[in-house]
Amino acid sequence: MKYIAIGIRNEAKGMNKKHKALVPVLGMSLILTGVSASFMATSATAATKYKVTYIPKNLGNPYFDAIVNGFKKAAKGLNMTVKVVAPAQAGATDQIPFIEAAIQQKVDAIAISPNDANALCPTLKRAMKAGIVVLTVNGDTAASCRQASITPVDFSVLGKYLVDQTASVIDGKGDWAFLSATSTAPDQNAWLAGAKKYIDGGGQPGLKLVDTVYGDDAPEKSATEAQALLAKYPNLKAINAPTTVGIAAAAQVLSTSPLKGKVQVTGLGTPDQMRQYVKDGTVKAFSLWDPGLEGAIAANLIVSIKAKNVKPKAGLQITYKGVGPGSWKLGKDAVIIAGPPQEFNAKNIDNFHF
Amino acid sequence: MSSLIKAPKRFKVPSYLVGPILILVIAMIYGSLGSEYFLQPSSIIFNTGRYIEIGLLALALTFVIINGDIDLSVASTLAASAGVLAKLFAGGVPIFWCCVAAIFTGFVLGLINGLIVIKFGLPSLVVTLATLALYRGLTQVMLGDGVVANYPDNFVGFDQRLVIGGDPGLPAPLALFIVASLIFYYVLHRSNYGIKNIMSGSNASSSKFSGISVNNVRLIAFSVSGTVSGICAVMITSRLGSTISNVGLGLELLAITVVVLGGTDIFGGRGAISGTVVSLFAIMAVREALVIQDINGQVQDAAIGLLLILTVLVPRIRSYYVEKRNRQKRFNEAQAKA
Amino acid sequence: MAIKLNSKVTYIFKKREFGIFLFILVLLAVFGSIEPRFFRSDNLSAILSSVGILMVVGAGQTLVIVTRNIDLSIGSTLGLAAMVMGMVARSQPDFPIPGLILIAMVVGGICGLLNGFLVSYGKIPSIIATLGTLAIIRGAVFVVSNNVQIDPNDVPKGIISLSITSPIGIPWLLIFAFLAIVLVWYISSQTLLGKRIYAVGSNPEGAISRGLSFNKITIMVFVFVGVLAGLGGVLYTARYATINPADVGRGLEFDVISAVVIGGTNIFGGSGTALGTALGCMLIGILSNGLTVVGVSPFWKACATGFLILAAVAIDNLVRKKQEENFLLAIRNQRAVK
């Protein structure tokens, strides 16, 4: 038994073969991966004054590409380089490694569109302690974790706006449902809360909100949820999806369904993605705003804080010439509202491209 | 029992460690090229927190896999335990007992896995595939769409706690992992149970005939896996400060990657804790090095996938051709003799 | 030594697939009685559409599992095929539809070829190889697409129409699903190749010693599932119209493997039918849709899937044990008679 045991133990320690070939192959492969991947990474080698890392919710979302474009355009004139990195999935904590990397790289500022209002706080606070400017763009975290927040529109009234928008496409009467993003998304949750407050306060009495479902910003799940709404509620008149992934999925489901035109789809979406559905009659109208504006404001604000030592707090007035409305007054908790929402419909959709 | 096993006289790096160690070294070099702060002890140590959970899961999985089984449900067990923790906490139970309940939940769920596999004689791949769904579903039922946050301040931020103070100090999760690795090492390579485990994985029927209760061994492995998942649930909740229903989604694949990269044979019977430990650090280094180079999440995953394949591929191809050459040599020798 | 077969009718009843079929009928009855809207035509067609993609890929995965392998990378393969096809369609809007479908299938086939080589000549266990390629191919989707998704605008009307209609009134999507199942059925039961595939799965060593080219069959099977995953990519585009590099096909492998296992295919290879897989897909689709329509919280879906897998495998196991028992008894009785 003793010797069997020793034998087994040695067996368990693995094969006793030499691996001379292993060394160069592994080394080469890692180097190859790194080299080819470096070519794909966004460039960060220009010697500019300000280094900024922007972390959107996840990759491959055209909405955030629009923010990035606005950011980069403004950055050009501000002696700033913007690096964009993001996790593979919009999970609550998936952005943390990228924040950590930015801290290590001693960037001047981190702009982030957070996937969760609380989970990133410890890491963001560490960034601020290290002297890095932290801004949240398009969505917010708890106020203590960032210096300022740039919201695309007035979140507190967007909820009401969504309800009114639904009313306008179904003539003020009928059952409707929300198809939201992930259940932890701070931006969508803020709007849903605003909408509920408006309804509870007596807004749009002819409308009845029958359900709120979550599509997780994933096309398959959003489509399944939209389909389920259609099956569950026979009197459903509209689906409002305040997320670009959700509205496209719902529109696709309806455009190939016999209920096309009978159930309206509206919400927030990008013109490029929704053009098709407006043209074929599935969608009467939907809205968004100019995401690029948020990026531009963020870039300018970073320079203000870093160069002119501006301290963002409620009541402060900032002015950036040539950027959208041009001037903003910071609200409570240093929140900047970029601009008003823009409605898209068959008449004007061809004028917008993002 | 310790007289039974003597350490080898000459220190030789075991062959299965060559791969992970190489990856670790190259990754650290690559990462330091990207940022001069990469090799600083403080940045290294602060970044380890979120990988420790995967490391602990991998340690427990090493047991299960060497045994000849597999446990795909570790992440879902973690989620369900976290769910129990959150639900109890939201219901007003003191945080300490919530943690105890979470760990106990993990133990029970792991035990259930083991019981189903043994009593029904079903393959562990399929059973844990089912419980992966089942336990995740339980988590979703418990937590729904909601978030549980507002954990007490002295509970949150476990990953920032230093066991040994100073700069950089030793973060608590890393300390826990070191302790856990030592315990697992001792159990697998230096104790009765460990030997039984390895033998059951190597050849279940002959082990049974040798008097080893293979079923007990497997049951213990599954229970340990579940308990460790429960512990990780507590750690994750402390690190994040909040709990939602998709907590830990996808961790099982990463944990399996760590185990296999460390040289453990997926079919059982062969493996070592040292391999798992080194491979965890290697993967950590690769990920961090890629993040410093601003390489996005998907490409990072792809790199890890590539390394996984290479680590398994190269030894096999090498041994195949060595075998072939030996066979040829023997054949020639036999020919020469004749 | 002839073992009496019962009459054809009772033979059908004893078949595994019939059990699933019965269960499906029961579910339909239950759901329909609670909520008659379940039977509404658009609801039923939605079920069929969601199941269609699953069936196409599942048909391929069945053969893979029959050969004692597993393919975890089909989701990523589907994504890459869809993305490449989408990019071609976007840059050349007049590209013929059959050409696009061909491109997708070729891309899928190439991915399958990679898997096949890794598993056969590389001698990497398929679970590890496909775990690696899952990440690598997903990374490729990102690199190829440069993070830009395909909008519904860019998808030709012809492709979208695949999910809606066809010359004979049933959407092409369903026709493809049906054809895939029939093809696999044909291969497995009517061709010599099929017999060889099953032989390789049920007894690999025996099969090799009889001269079957183990490597060739493995590669063939993986290429087959890759091509079908490519076709699945086309159908995905037809159904959802948006191809996002991060989301397309993610998580598909879990659903497909669940459906295949529920459909009666043994995870250890050697047995399984296309019909079973088709029924498994239908079961999952009906359950998923039905639970939502009836009003059960969607969070119970994962639990339900887990239970189904467990039940399916447990029943399979019991039935197999009984069959073995009966067979041995029959032999013993025959011998006793002699």
PDB file of all heavy atoms in Angstrom, chain A residues 305-337:
ATOM      1  N   ILE A 305     -11.590  71.600 -14.982  1.00  0.00           N
ATOM      2  CA  ILE A 305     -11.231  71.177 -13.630  1.00  0.00           C
ATOM      3  C   ILE A 305      -9.725  71.100 -13.485  1.00  0.00           C
ATOM      4  O   ILE A 305      -9.143  71.551 -12.504  1.00  0.00           O
ATOM      5  CB  ILE A 305     -11.862  69.808 -13.301  1.00  0.00           C
ATOM      6  CG1 ILE A 305     -13.383  69.908 -13.366  1.00  0.00           C
ATOM      7  CG2 ILE A 305     -11.419  69.334 -11.931  1.00  0.00           C
ATOM      8  CD1 ILE A 305     -14.085  68.616 -13.082  1.00  0.00           C
ATOM      9  N   LYS A 306      -9.073  70.533 -14.493  1.00  0.00           N
ATOM     10  CA  LYS A 306      -7.643  70.309 -14.371  1.00  0.00           C
ATOM     11  C   LYS A 306      -6.844  71.593 -14.521  1.00  0.00           C
ATOM     12  O   LYS A 306      -5.901  71.848 -13.802  1.00  0.00           O
ATOM     13  CB  LYS A 306      -7.190  69.310 -15.463  1.00  0.00           C
ATOM     14  CG  LYS A 306      -7.319  67.863 -15.028  1.00  0.00           C
ATOM     15  CD  LYS A 306      -6.041  67.351 -14.427  1.00  0.00           C
ATOM     16  CE  LYS A 306      -6.304  66.276 -13.416  1.00  0.00           C
ATOM     17  NZ  LYS A 306      -5.160  65.498 -13.030  1.00  0.00           N
ATOM     18  N   ALA A 307      -7.222  72.390 -15.519  1.00  0.00           N
ATOM     19  CA  ALA A 307      -6.388  73.557 -15.827  1.00  0.00           C
ATOM     20  C   ALA A 307      -6.808  74.773 -15.023  1.00  0.00           C
ATOM     21  O   ALA A 307      -5.987  75.520 -14.531  1.00  0.00           O
ATOM     22  CB  ALA A 307      -6.466  73.861 -17.314  1.00  0.00           C
ATOM     23  N   LYS A 308      -8.131  74.977 -14.915  1.00  0.00           N
ATOM     24  CA  LYS A 308      -8.573  76.211 -14.256  1.00  0.00           C
ATOM     25  C   LYS A 308      -9.056  75.947 -12.850  1.00  0.00           C
ATOM     26  O   LYS A 308      -9.627  76.830 -12.217  1.00  0.00           O
ATOM     27  CB  LYS A 308      -9.682  76.854 -15.095  1.00  0.00           C
ATOM     28  CG  LYS A 308      -9.196  77.149 -16.501  1.00  0.00           C
ATOM     29  CD  LYS A 308     -10.249  77.861 -17.340  1.00  0.00           C
ATOM     30  CE  LYS A 308      -9.951  77.647 -18.811  1.00  0.00           C
ATOM     31  NZ  LYS A 308     -11.116  77.211 -19.555  1.00  0.00           N
ATOM     32  N   ASN A 309      -8.868  74.708 -12.379  1.00  0.00           N
ATOM     33  CA  ASN A 309      -9.201  74.384 -10.998  1.00  0.00           C
ATOM     34  C   ASN A 309     -10.647  74.670 -10.639  1.00  0.00           C
ATOM     35  O   ASN A 309     -10.960  75.053  -9.513  1.00  0.00           O
ATOM     36  CB  ASN A 309      -8.266  75.163 -10.050  1.00  0.00           C
ATOM     37  CG  ASN A 309      -7.916  74.284  -8.866  1.00  0.00           C
ATOM     38  OD1 ASN A 309      -8.340  73.135  -8.797  1.00  0.00           O
ATOM     39  ND2 ASN A 309      -7.163  74.823  -7.954  1.00  0.00           N
ATOM     40  N   VAL A 310     -11.508  74.526 -11.614  1.00  0.00           N
ATOM     41  CA  VAL A 310     -12.934  74.725 -11.364  1.00  0.00           C
ATOM     42  C   VAL A 310     -13.445  73.609 -10.477  1.00  0.00           C
ATOM     43  O   VAL A 310     -13.098  72.446 -10.658  1.00  0.00           O
ATOM     44  CB  VAL A 310     -13.696  74.708 -12.712  1.00  0.00           C
ATOM     45  CG1 VAL A 310     -15.181  74.581 -12.485  1.00  0.00           C
ATOM     46  CG2 VAL A 310     -13.357  75.937 -13.507  1.00  0.00           C
ATOM     47  N   LYS A 311     -14.264  73.944  -9.486  1.00  0.00           N
ATOM     48  CA  LYS A 311     -14.817  72.894  -8.621  1.00  0.00           C
ATOM     49  C   LYS A 311     -16.305  72.748  -8.898  1.00  0.00           C
ATOM     50  O   LYS A 311     -17.084  73.644  -8.602  1.00  0.00           O
ATOM     51  CB  LYS A 311     -14.595  73.279  -7.152  1.00  0.00           C
ATOM     52  CG  LYS A 311     -13.140  73.208  -6.770  1.00  0.00           C
ATOM     53  CD  LYS A 311     -12.931  72.726  -5.354  1.00  0.00           C
ATOM     54  CE  LYS A 311     -11.496  72.892  -4.877  1.00  0.00           C
ATOM     55  NZ  LYS A 311     -10.487  72.753  -5.946  1.00  0.00           N
ATOM     56  N   PRO A 312     -16.693  71.611  -9.459  1.00  0.00           N
ATOM     57  CA  PRO A 312     -18.096  71.454  -9.841  1.00  0.00           C
ATOM     58  C   PRO A 312     -18.987  71.338  -8.608  1.00  0.00           C
ATOM     59  O   PRO A 312     -18.771  70.482  -7.768  1.00  0.00           O
ATOM     60  CB  PRO A 312     -18.123  70.140 -10.623  1.00  0.00           C
ATOM     61  CG  PRO A 312     -16.701  69.752 -10.822  1.00  0.00           C
ATOM     62  CD  PRO A 312     -15.884  70.437  -9.788  1.00  0.00           C
ATOM     63  N   LYS A 313     -19.935  72.254  -8.480  1.00  0.00           N
ATOM     64  CA  LYS A 313     -20.933  72.067  -7.449  1.00  0.00           C
ATOM     65  C   LYS A 313     -22.210  72.768  -7.891  1.00  0.00           C
ATOM     66  O   LYS A 313     -22.212  73.516  -8.860  1.00  0.00           O
ATOM     67  CB  LYS A 313     -20.439  72.612  -6.111  1.00  0.00           C
ATOM     68  CG  LYS A 313     -19.989  74.061  -6.131  1.00  0.00           C
ATOM     69  CD  LYS A 313     -19.376  74.381  -4.786  1.00  0.00           C
ATOM     70  CE  LYS A 313     -19.313  75.851  -4.495  1.00  0.00           C
ATOM     71  NZ  LYS A 313     -18.596  76.682  -5.422  1.00  0.00           N
ATOM     72  N   ALA A 314     -23.235  72.518  -7.141  1.00  0.00           N
ATOM     73  CA  ALA A 314     -24.540  73.048  -7.549  1.00  0.00           C
ATOM     74  C   ALA A 314     -24.471  74.565  -7.702  1.00  0.00           C
ATOM     75  O   ALA A 314     -23.864  75.264  -6.907  1.00  0.00           O
ATOM     76  CB  ALA A 314     -25.587  72.663  -6.503  1.00  0.00           C
ATOM     77  N   GLY A 315     -25.092  75.036  -8.744  1.00  0.00           N
ATOM     78  CA  GLY A 315     -25.164  76.483  -8.928  1.00  0.00           C
ATOM     79  C   GLY A 315     -24.067  77.048  -9.810  1.00  0.00           C
ATOM     80  O   GLY A 315     -24.147  78.178 -10.290  1.00  0.00           O
ATOM     81  N   LEU A 316     -23.027  76.269 -10.052  1.00  0.00           N
ATOM     82  CA  LEU A 316     -21.928  76.780 -10.868  1.00  0.00           C
ATOM     83  C   LEU A 316     -22.379  76.911 -12.318  1.00  0.00           C
ATOM     84  O   LEU A 316     -23.104  76.073 -12.841  1.00  0.00           O
ATOM     85  CB  LEU A 316     -20.744  75.807 -10.769  1.00  0.00           C
ATOM     86  CG  LEU A 316     -19.511  76.157 -11.586  1.00  0.00           C
ATOM     87  CD1 LEU A 316     -18.835  77.366 -10.973  1.00  0.00           C
ATOM     88  CD2 LEU A 316     -18.553  74.983 -11.601  1.00  0.00           C
ATOM     89  N   GLN A 317     -21.918  77.992 -12.972  1.00  0.00           N
ATOM     90  CA  GLN A 317     -22.278  78.188 -14.379  1.00  0.00           C
ATOM     91  C   GLN A 317     -21.055  77.925 -15.230  1.00  0.00           C
ATOM     92  O   GLN A 317     -19.979  78.424 -14.948  1.00  0.00           O
ATOM     93  CB  GLN A 317     -22.738  79.644 -14.592  1.00  0.00           C
ATOM     94  CG  GLN A 317     -23.281  79.916 -15.960  1.00  0.00           C
ATOM     95  CD  GLN A 317     -24.798  79.738 -16.010  1.00  0.00           C
ATOM     96  OE1 GLN A 317     -25.447  79.644 -14.957  1.00  0.00           O
ATOM     97  NE2 GLN A 317     -25.356  79.678 -17.190  1.00  0.00           N
ATOM     98  N   ILE A 318     -21.196  77.109 -16.257  1.00  0.00           N
ATOM     99  CA  ILE A 318     -20.052  76.884 -17.142  1.00  0.00           C
ATOM    100  C   ILE A 318     -20.445  77.245 -18.566  1.00  0.00           C
ATOM    101  O   ILE A 318     -21.608  77.099 -18.967  1.00  0.00           O
ATOM    102  CB  ILE A 318     -19.574  75.414 -17.109  1.00  0.00           C
ATOM    103  CG1 ILE A 318     -20.741  74.454 -17.347  1.00  0.00           C
ATOM    104  CG2 ILE A 318     -18.885  75.091 -15.804  1.00  0.00           C
ATOM    105  CD1 ILE A 318     -20.315  73.021 -17.435  1.00  0.00           C
ATOM    106  N   THR A 319     -19.458  77.701 -19.308  1.00  0.00           N
ATOM    107  CA  THR A 319     -19.730  78.106 -20.686  1.00  0.00           C
ATOM    108  C   THR A 319     -18.653  77.557 -21.602  1.00  0.00           C
ATOM    109  O   THR A 319     -17.467  77.768 -21.351  1.00  0.00           O
ATOM    110  CB  THR A 319     -19.711  79.648 -20.803  1.00  0.00           C
ATOM    111  OG1 THR A 319     -20.532  80.193 -19.790  1.00  0.00           O
ATOM    112  CG2 THR A 319     -20.243  80.055 -22.158  1.00  0.00           C
ATOM    113  N   TYR A 320     -19.073  76.843 -22.620  1.00  0.00           N
ATOM    114  CA  TYR A 320     -18.128  76.376 -23.619  1.00  0.00           C
ATOM    115  C   TYR A 320     -18.643  76.812 -24.978  1.00  0.00           C
ATOM    116  O   TYR A 320     -19.655  76.317 -25.479  1.00  0.00           O
ATOM    117  CB  TYR A 320     -17.990  74.853 -23.576  1.00  0.00           C
ATOM    118  CG  TYR A 320     -17.548  74.347 -22.223  1.00  0.00           C
ATOM    119  CD1 TYR A 320     -18.309  73.416 -21.537  1.00  0.00           C
ATOM    120  CD2 TYR A 320     -16.382  74.818 -21.622  1.00  0.00           C
ATOM    121  CE1 TYR A 320     -17.918  72.957 -20.295  1.00  0.00           C
ATOM    122  CE2 TYR A 320     -15.993  74.364 -20.382  1.00  0.00           C
ATOM    123  CZ  TYR A 320     -16.767  73.442 -19.720  1.00  0.00           C
ATOM    124  OH  TYR A 320     -16.370  72.993 -18.499  1.00  0.00           O
ATOM    125  N   LYS A 321     -17.941  77.702 -25.576  1.00  0.00           N
ATOM    126  CA  LYS A 321     -18.435  78.247 -26.833  1.00  0.00           C
ATOM    127  C   LYS A 321     -18.416  77.180 -27.904  1.00  0.00           C
ATOM    128  O   LYS A 321     -17.498  76.378 -27.998  1.00  0.00           O
ATOM    129  CB  LYS A 321     -17.541  79.423 -27.254  1.00  0.00           C
ATOM    130  CG  LYS A 321     -18.109  80.757 -26.826  1.00  0.00           C
ATOM    131  CD  LYS A 321     -17.627  81.853 -27.735  1.00  0.00           C
ATOM    132  CE  LYS A 321     -16.116  81.940 -27.545  1.00  0.00           C
ATOM    133  NZ  LYS A 321     -15.653  83.309 -27.456  1.00  0.00           N
ATOM    134  N   GLY A 322     -19.426  77.215 -28.717  1.00  0.00           N
ATOM    135  CA  GLY A 322     -19.446  76.331 -29.874  1.00  0.00           C
ATOM    136  C   GLY A 322     -19.900  74.917 -29.562  1.00  0.00           C
ATOM    137  O   GLY A 322     -19.907  74.053 -30.427  1.00  0.00           O
ATOM    138  N   VAL A 323     -20.268  74.685 -28.335  1.00  0.00           N
ATOM    139  CA  VAL A 323     -20.724  73.337 -27.977  1.00  0.00           C
ATOM    140  C   VAL A 323     -22.203  73.405 -27.655  1.00  0.00           C
ATOM    141  O   VAL A 323     -22.596  73.926 -26.618  1.00  0.00           O
ATOM    142  CB  VAL A 323     -19.943  72.811 -26.757  1.00  0.00           C
ATOM    143  CG1 VAL A 323     -20.420  71.417 -26.396  1.00  0.00           C
ATOM    144  CG2 VAL A 323     -18.452  72.825 -27.028  1.00  0.00           C
ATOM    145  N   GLY A 324     -23.034  72.935 -28.540  1.00  0.00           N
ATOM    146  CA  GLY A 324     -24.466  72.855 -28.300  1.00  0.00           C
ATOM    147  C   GLY A 324     -25.039  74.161 -27.801  1.00  0.00           C
ATOM    148  O   GLY A 324     -24.732  75.238 -28.316  1.00  0.00           O
ATOM    149  N   PRO A 325     -25.865  74.085 -26.760  1.00  0.00           N
ATOM    150  CA  PRO A 325     -26.483  75.296 -26.216  1.00  0.00           C
ATOM    151  C   PRO A 325     -25.440  76.295 -25.689  1.00  0.00           C
ATOM    152  O   PRO A 325     -25.741  77.457 -25.524  1.00  0.00           O
ATOM    153  CB  PRO A 325     -27.363  74.800 -25.076  1.00  0.00           C
ATOM    154  CG  PRO A 325     -27.368  73.324 -25.148  1.00  0.00           C
ATOM    155  CD  PRO A 325     -26.359  72.865 -26.117  1.00  0.00           C
ATOM    156  N   GLY A 326     -24.229  75.814 -25.382  1.00  0.00           N
ATOM    157  CA  GLY A 326     -23.146  76.737 -25.051  1.00  0.00           C
ATOM    158  C   GLY A 326     -22.930  76.995 -23.578  1.00  0.00           C
ATOM    159  O   GLY A 326     -21.816  77.218 -23.148  1.00  0.00           O
ATOM    160  N   SER A 327     -24.001  76.934 -22.796  1.00  0.00           N
ATOM    161  CA  SER A 327     -23.764  77.257 -21.393  1.00  0.00           C
ATOM    162  C   SER A 327     -24.719  76.459 -20.529  1.00  0.00           C
ATOM    163  O   SER A 327     -25.862  76.206 -20.883  1.00  0.00           O
ATOM    164  CB  SER A 327     -23.942  78.776 -21.213  1.00  0.00           C
ATOM    165  OG  SER A 327     -24.775  79.043 -20.131  1.00  0.00           O
ATOM    166  N   TRP A 328     -24.221  76.021 -19.362  1.00  0.00           N
ATOM    167  CA  TRP A 328     -25.030  75.186 -18.487  1.00  0.00           C
ATOM    168  C   TRP A 328     -24.860  75.616 -17.053  1.00  0.00           C
ATOM    169  O   TRP A 328     -23.819  76.147 -16.659  1.00  0.00           O
ATOM    170  CB  TRP A 328     -24.577  73.722 -18.587  1.00  0.00           C
ATOM    171  CG  TRP A 328     -24.735  73.149 -19.948  1.00  0.00           C
ATOM    172  CD1 TRP A 328     -25.796  72.454 -20.411  1.00  0.00           C
ATOM    173  CD2 TRP A 328     -23.807  73.229 -21.021  1.00  0.00           C
ATOM    174  NE1 TRP A 328     -25.585  72.069 -21.701  1.00  0.00           N
ATOM    175  CE2 TRP A 328     -24.373  72.530 -22.115  1.00  0.00           C
ATOM    176  CE3 TRP A 328     -22.540  73.815 -21.161  1.00  0.00           C
ATOM    177  CZ2 TRP A 328     -23.736  72.415 -23.330  1.00  0.00           C
ATOM    178  CZ3 TRP A 328     -21.895  73.693 -22.381  1.00  0.00           C
ATOM    179  CH2 TRP A 328     -22.493  73.007 -23.451  1.00  0.00           C
ATOM    180  N   LYS A 329     -25.888  75.356 -16.282  1.00  0.00           N
ATOM    181  CA  LYS A 329     -25.793  75.627 -14.845  1.00  0.00           C
ATOM    182  C   LYS A 329     -25.869  74.282 -14.147  1.00  0.00           C
ATOM    183  O   LYS A 329     -26.793  73.488 -14.370  1.00  0.00           O
ATOM    184  CB  LYS A 329     -26.962  76.524 -14.423  1.00  0.00           C
ATOM    185  CG  LYS A 329     -26.881  76.924 -12.985  1.00  0.00           C
ATOM    186  CD  LYS A 329     -27.657  78.217 -12.750  1.00  0.00           C
ATOM    187  CE  LYS A 329     -28.142  78.251 -11.302  1.00  0.00           C
ATOM    188  NZ  LYS A 329     -29.248  79.128 -11.119  1.00  0.00           N
ATOM    189  N   LEU A 330     -24.889  74.017 -13.264  1.00  0.00           N
ATOM    190  CA  LEU A 330     -24.883  72.733 -12.594  1.00  0.00           C
ATOM    191  C   LEU A 330     -25.999  72.640 -11.579  1.00  0.00           C
ATOM    192  O   LEU A 330     -26.289  73.572 -10.841  1.00  0.00           O
ATOM    193  CB  LEU A 330     -23.528  72.533 -11.875  1.00  0.00           C
ATOM    194  CG  LEU A 330     -22.410  71.943 -12.740  1.00  0.00           C
ATOM    195  CD1 LEU A 330     -21.988  72.926 -13.802  1.00  0.00           C
ATOM    196  CD2 LEU A 330     -21.244  71.544 -11.893  1.00  0.00           C
ATOM    197  N   GLY A 331     -26.624  71.483 -11.558  1.00  0.00           N
ATOM    198  CA  GLY A 331     -27.713  71.288 -10.608  1.00  0.00           C
ATOM    199  C   GLY A 331     -27.213  70.638  -9.331  1.00  0.00           C
ATOM    200  O   GLY A 331     -26.022  70.587  -9.052  1.00  0.00           O
ATOM    201  N   LYS A 332     -28.152  70.113  -8.595  1.00  0.00           N
ATOM    202  CA  LYS A 332     -27.845  69.446  -7.338  1.00  0.00           C
ATOM    203  C   LYS A 332     -26.868  68.299  -7.587  1.00  0.00           C
ATOM    204  O   LYS A 332     -26.940  67.607  -8.594  1.00  0.00           O
ATOM    205  CB  LYS A 332     -29.145  68.921  -6.737  1.00  0.00           C
ATOM    206  CG  LYS A 332     -28.968  68.099  -5.481  1.00  0.00           C
ATOM    207  CD  LYS A 332     -30.328  67.902  -4.805  1.00  0.00           C
ATOM    208  CE  LYS A 332     -30.220  66.951  -3.634  1.00  0.00           C
ATOM    209  NZ  LYS A 332     -30.179  65.559  -4.055  1.00  0.00           N
ATOM    210  N   ASP A 333     -25.929  68.125  -6.663  1.00  0.00           N
ATOM    211  CA  ASP A 333     -24.929  67.059  -6.793  1.00  0.00           C
ATOM    212  C   ASP A 333     -24.106  67.211  -8.063  1.00  0.00           C
ATOM    213  O   ASP A 333     -23.640  66.232  -8.631  1.00  0.00           O
ATOM    214  CB  ASP A 333     -25.590  65.661  -6.806  1.00  0.00           C
ATOM    215  CG  ASP A 333     -26.132  65.273  -5.443  1.00  0.00           C
ATOM    216  OD1 ASP A 333     -25.583  65.771  -4.437  1.00  0.00           O
ATOM    217  OD2 ASP A 333     -27.088  64.501  -5.396  1.00  0.00           O
ATOM    218  N   ALA A 334     -23.933  68.427  -8.501  1.00  0.00           N
ATOM    219  CA  ALA A 334     -23.073  68.707  -9.668  1.00  0.00           C
ATOM    220  C   ALA A 334     -23.496  67.927 -10.896  1.00  0.00           C
ATOM    221  O   ALA A 334     -22.691  67.281 -11.558  1.00  0.00           O
ATOM    222  CB  ALA A 334     -21.614  68.407  -9.323  1.00  0.00           C
ATOM    223  N   VAL A 335     -24.770  67.984 -11.210  1.00  0.00           N
ATOM    224  CA  VAL A 335     -25.275  67.298 -12.393  1.00  0.00           C
ATOM    225  C   VAL A 335     -25.473  68.306 -13.518  1.00  0.00           C
ATOM    226  O   VAL A 335     -26.088  69.342 -13.321  1.00  0.00           O
ATOM    227  CB  VAL A 335     -26.618  66.606 -12.078  1.00  0.00           C
ATOM    228  CG1 VAL A 335     -27.257  66.091 -13.341  1.00  0.00           C
ATOM    229  CG2 VAL A 335     -26.393  65.468 -11.109  1.00  0.00           C
ATOM    230  N   ILE A 336     -24.951  67.996 -14.669  1.00  0.00           N
ATOM    231  CA  ILE A 336     -25.105  68.869 -15.835  1.00  0.00           C
ATOM    232  C   ILE A 336     -26.072  68.219 -16.802  1.00  0.00           C
ATOM    233  O   ILE A 336     -25.927  67.054 -17.150  1.00  0.00           O
ATOM    234  CB  ILE A 336     -23.759  69.054 -16.563  1.00  0.00           C
ATOM    235  CG1 ILE A 336     -22.719  69.579 -15.596  1.00  0.00           C
ATOM    236  CG2 ILE A 336     -23.923  69.968 -17.762  1.00  0.00           C
ATOM    237  CD1 ILE A 336     -21.333  69.551 -16.171  1.00  0.00           C
ATOM    238  N   ILE A 337     -27.039  68.993 -17.230  1.00  0.00           N
ATOM    239  CA  ILE A 337     -27.981  68.458 -18.209  1.00  0.00           C
ATOM    240  C   ILE A 337     -27.583  68.959 -19.583  1.00  0.00           C
ATOM    241  O   ILE A 337     -27.505  70.152 -19.825  1.00  0.00           O
ATOM    242  CB  ILE A 337     -29.408  68.910 -17.863  1.00  0.00           C
ATOM    243  CG1 ILE A 337     -29.770  68.315 -16.510  1.00  0.00           C
ATOM    244  CG2 ILE A 337     -30.377  68.454 -18.930  1.00  0.00           C
ATOM    245  CD1 ILE A 337     -31.040  68.876 -15.950  1.00  0.00           C
TER     246      ILE A 337
END
